[in-house]
Amino acid sequence: MDVLRPPTVWVAGRCYRVLNPQTATTTTNYAEADAYGFEDSVYQDEVDCTNETDFTVEETGSGRFQTSFPVANPYIPYLIGSKGSTKSRIEKETYTNLKFPGKGQNGNVVVTGKDVRTVRQARLKLEMLVEQARKKQPSTHFLSLPVNTPNIQEKFLEFKKEVLEKCGDSRGVEESIFQEAAKLHLTLCVLVLADDRERQQAVDTLKQCPETVLKKQLGGEKLRLEMKGVEIMNDDPGEVHVLYGRVNALSWSHSIQAIADSVVGEFVKGGLVTRQQERVKAACHSNEH
């Protein structure tokens, strides 16, 4: 392991160092269906919890320590495991007690222990499992910026007409593969929002972006964009499923890349998006088949 560049994991917008890559990359799979009817709970080992966290651990009246946090109900089975195996394992390794909402009920997961460090460690392990569970779910929403001004729509329709006239006899090239001109957009990220709480959190995060992102990046000025050129999603032009337009800012002082990265960063901080790469791929989706 390179001590200067140790392996890391992102959980709820925070980056943690993995202490032991040999054990950290080993997962325990529980193929047997648990009480919730789910399979394949995944457990991640040995993560450094010595760094300061941004959640609160409170001392209870009995001298023990406790933290609680909301978890969407579909993810609870991943935290319990087959016949409670994951729950028991975390409790034994961290000397804590875990309490979960009942089946089909909304509520907080509560972690109780004898000291702050073990409570933090147990919570982080649970949050990592939620991240793993989120990755298994199909996307429910996506975050985008509309790129559908009248002049762009007009140019897009001209492009569509030209393609159909010149390539209409080619494999798969027909009108239905084109996106509606009014729906042209710049995709920033996709999300898995599992319950009303997460959906409301996403709405609140988006409403804060004009203040946290746009005001800082634009300073009240408008961002002028240009969509010019077409790119493909894969490396084989003969097997293309998605074409997208290249989008560039027409101002030296503002960067669409910085704005896109910052907006997605706000959702990463809130734990609604798992950071997959350092930068957002700025592309205007135009047609798909």
Side-chain angles (χ1 to χ4, degrees):
M1 179 181 71
D2 186 347
V3 296
L4 297 179
R5 293 184 177 180
T8 58
V9 60
W10 285 87
V11 177
R14 302 188 296 274
C15 187
Y16 293 89
R17 175 169 59 90
V18 178
L19 290 178
N20 189 335
Q22 281 72 38
T23 59
T25 55
T26 301
T27 58
T28 302
N29 297 309
Y30 303 98
E32 184 178 353
D34 59 30
Y36 282 71
F38 276 67
E39 298 180 354
D40 190 31
S41 294
V42 182
Y43 182 85
Q44 178 90 34
D45 289 331
E46 300 303 326
V47 176
D48 181 10
C49 298
T50 58
N51 293 334
E52 190 65 28
T53 55
D54 61 3
F55 57 78
T56 301
V57 177
E58 299 178 340
E59 186 173 1
T60 66
S62 59
R64 294 170 65 82
F65 295 88
Q66 187 177 94
T67 185
S68 64
F69 59 105
V71 175
N73 197 265
Y75 302 141
I76 297 296
Y78 291 88
L79 307 185
I80 295 176
S82 177
K83 298 180 180 179
S85 54
T86 304
K87 174 180 181 292
S88 297
R89 183 176 179 180
I90 296 177
E91 289 179 329
K92 290 178 181 178
E93 292 185 349
T94 60
Y95 304 100
T96 58
N97 177 262
L98 309 180
K99 184 177 180 181
F100 301 98
K103 183 178 179 179
Q105 297 179 353
N106 295 319
N108 287 353
V109 174
V110 181
V111 182
T112 306
K114 294 181 179 180
D115 61 77
V116 173
R117 182 180 180 279
T118 56
V119 170
R120 283 179 174 169
Q121 187 179 48
R123 173 164 171 172
L124 179 56
K125 290 177 183 290
L126 293 171
E127 288 183 339
M128 292 177 68
L129 283 174
V130 173
E131 289 298 313
Q132 293 290 333
R134 190 183 296 276
K135 291 177 182 178
K136 292 175 178 287
Q137 309 304 313
S139 300
T140 60
H141 298 74
F142 69 94
L143 182 63
S144 68
L145 299 176
V147 186
N148 56 358
T149 57
N151 59 324
I152 289 181
Q153 290 190 49
E154 180 182 353
K155 293 294 183 181
F156 173 74
L157 292 175
E158 292 177 3
F159 166 75
K160 172 183 173 180
K161 180 180 179 182
E162 184 176 355
V163 169
L164 291 175
E165 288 177 350
K166 294 183 178 181
C167 308
D169 296 331
S170 301
R171 184 189 67 172
V173 178
E174 41 89 17
E175 188 167 2
S176 67
I177 70 173
F178 288 87
Q179 177 63 274
E180 295 180 28
K183 293 183 178 180
L184 291 174
H185 61 272
L186 176 64
T187 300
L188 302 184
C189 65
V190 295
L191 304 96
V192 178
L193 304 177
D195 61 9
D196 290 340
R197 182 194 62 81
E198 290 189 345
R199 287 186 281 273
Q200 186 58 52
Q201 184 183 353
V203 170
D204 294 340
T205 300
L206 190 58
K207 287 181 177 180
Q208 293 170 4
C209 284
E211 185 69 24
T212 59
V213 176
L214 298 184
K215 185 176 181 179
K216 178 181 178 181
Q217 294 288 342
L218 297 178
E221 298 182 17
K222 291 184 177 181
L223 175 65
R224 297 178 62 242
L225 299 177
E226 173 188 63
M227 187 175 71
K228 185 176 182 181
V230 177
E231 294 284 355
I232 63 176
M233 277 293 187
N234 59 358
D235 297 327
D236 184 359
E239 295 295 332
V240 173
H241 293 283
V242 177
L243 295 180
Y244 62 88
R246 288 181 293 182
V247 179
N248 300 297
L250 295 180
S251 171
W252 289 103
S253 60
H254 307 312
S255 168
I256 185 62
Q257 185 68 60
I259 292 173
D261 291 341
S262 297
V263 170
V264 173
E266 293 299 309
F267 283 79
V268 172
K269 290 178 185 177
L272 296 172
V273 175
T274 300
R275 187 184 295 276
Q276 301 292 335
Q277 54 192 17
E278 290 300 318
R279 307 184 74 188
V280 175
K281 188 176 183 64
C284 180
H285 289 272
S286 54
N287 58 327
E288 181 177 345
H289 68 94

